[in-house]
Amino acid sequence: MKKISILTFGCQMNRADSERMLGEMQIDGFELTENLDEADLILVNTCCVRESAEEKIFGKLGELKHLKTKNPNLILGVTGCMAQKDGSKILEKARHVDFILGTGKISKLRSIVAEIESNRKKIIDTALDEFADTRSISIARENSINAWIPIMYGCDNFCTYCIVPHVRGRERSREPIQILREIETCSAPEITLLGQNVNSYSHGFADLLRAADKIESIKRIRFMTSHPKDLNDDVINAIANGEKICEHIHLPIQHGSNRILKRMNRGYTVEKYLDLAQKIREKIPNVSITTDLIVGFPGESEEDLDLTLEMLKQIRFDAAFTFIYSRRSGTPADQFSDQIPDEIKHSRLNRLMEVQNRISFEINSAMKDQSVEILVEGESKSDSKIWTGRTRTNKIVLFEHRDESIGDLIQVKIIQPQTWILKGVIE
Ligand code: SAH
Ligand code: SF4
Ligand code: F3S
């Protein structure tokens, strides 16, 4: 058996792609290994959303070099968003790489590997001109609990800071029938419908949610990411009325200043977002709302930061992922002349996180002694007796394992809520 290792960076879309690449290579007799030393094929599936991601990946590529010296037959491929963005430039920095495959070309992976196996030449394929047809692609899911189900590819929003539309191409939606068939056959108890902006799914996202809710073999439905400018009443109602659709909406606001939101090209104001959040909370009891925030966007003043801190206190997110603005060449914001110095960005990030962490802790603390349903995910990383599961609202719960199995839905009582996790006991 030939062995394959895949190192995945970036978002869920990349993880979904890695599962497809593994599925494809299994057809040609490759078997997954975690041990890089014994791999015949290593894929580094990359992200370029921030500079820090790219640095980490180049570090990893450097570490892999010695494996090529040890095993001259090893094939090393770079795939995903950074491959799409930088193409042949990656070969200049990392000469030991054998091939570069862009984001729209998973269906070409098998033939590229076969070609390199037979004549050891370098291959670069980053054309983004075709619809990523996934109908015939095999999938080897890494996670037996949650199946990543892409419903659309690409993005048309062109937020001025963001590289994603440039490396994932224009928005393309998959046919509902194809998606529903994939859900029916996935054998995981939970699915996550994936897209950069699921609310602009072109065949109707609310209809898709309702159709998925009727599929018997699954227990829970999640989805991400929602864009505030496109999340409509029909979708909110579908979530509220759905039996399996989880009460969690990841709804990135990005900033609390209208001036900055405009410069980001986000298409909504803080007031509109507040109205939307209020409507969601009225219609969906116990919903959790999480968000993404960018700090240090060009031209951000102290007042803009204060507006963001105020907004956080007003909306009270369950959790927020906070990012320092990272310049991405080729995006409009990279050309803005009023870039913020690094030290200021870092100190603003700390102020933001302090406020949000307190809010997350307060919201979680209110769950003490509550009984919640969790889907059992398995052993925690640190202790085999302590297992983890997730609430419908996407909060992680740690509990002492008895005889539950992975994939069970169980009731736990929350005894010790913390900022990022909850500790509970089985009821
Ligand atoms: N499509 C999703 C998320 C895409 S990227 C959405 O629109 O919300 C995930 C997050 O990375 C974004 O929400 C944003 O907060 C962050 N991000 C994107 N580009 C960035 C950049 N140049 N610098 C810092 N953070 C960035
Ligand atoms: Fe990037 Fe904006 Fe598209 Fe999200 S919606 S992927 S932040 S351009
Ligand atoms: Fe995802 Fe990173 Fe690409 S966030 S879409 S893997 S740039």
Side-chain angles (χ1 to χ4, degrees), residues 308-354:
T308 301
L309 299 178
E310 274 315 301
M311 174 277 288
L312 288 179
K313 290 176 197 160
Q314 212 175 341
I315 298 186
R316 295 179 65 81
F317 293 107
D318 287 78
F321 299 92
T322 44
F323 305 108
I324 289 183
Y325 168 71
S326 172
R327 294 176 77 161
R328 303 285 71 204
S329 91
T331 61
D334 183 41
Q335 303 295 318
F336 295 169
S337 56
D338 39 8
Q339 302 288 332
I340 307 291
D342 275 351
E343 323 81 73
I344 297 184
K345 285 186 191 168
H346 280 99
S347 87
R348 287 183 182 170
L349 178 75
N350 289 337
R351 285 161 65 192
L352 210 71
M353 285 171 67
E354 226 169 82

Side-chain angles (χ1 to χ4, degrees), residues 10-11 14 47-49 81 168 196:
C11 66
N14 258 15
C47 171
C48 59
V49 78
C81 294
R168 288 272 171 181
Q196 297 302 340

Side-chain angles (χ1 to χ4, degrees), residues 211-269:
D213 199 36
K214 293 201 188 91
I215 296 177
E216 262 181 38
S217 55
I218 52 166
K219 295 177 180 165
R220 283 179 171 185
I221 300 169
R222 301 187 181 281
F223 52 93
M224 70 189 301
T225 300
S226 292
H227 196 301
K229 78 175 167 57
D230 296 315
L231 179 60
N232 61 28
D233 287 0
D234 198 16
V235 170
I236 298 174
N237 289 332
I239 302 165
N241 299 329
E243 184 198 332
K244 300 169 180 176
I245 306 167
C246 290
E247 296 77 22
H248 168 231
I249 304 186
H250 185 59
L251 193 64
I253 187 166
Q254 310 297 2
H255 211 277
S257 155
N258 287 335
R259 195 176 65 83
I260 299 289
L261 284 176
K262 190 146 199 235
R263 278 191 117 192
M264 287 177 160
N265 189 32
R266 287 293 289 179
Y268 53 85
T269 58

Side-chain angles (χ1 to χ4, degrees), residues 64-111:
L64 297 178
K65 198 167 177 181
H66 77 281
L67 295 175
K68 289 280 280 191
T69 332
K70 253 186 4 202
N71 172 10
N73 288 326
L74 169 66
I75 298 177
L76 176 58
V78 177
T79 64
C81 294
M82 195 176 86
Q84 185 65 45
K85 179 166 77 75
D86 291 340
S88 60
K89 276 191 251 159
I90 294 172
L91 291 181
E92 287 162 24
K93 281 205 216 166
R95 286 160 166 270
H96 54 298
V97 168
D98 295 290
F99 72 91
I100 310 279
L101 184 68
T103 54
K105 288 297 181 73
I106 293 175
S107 56
K108 292 274 165 67
L109 179 65
R110 288 174 60 203
S111 60

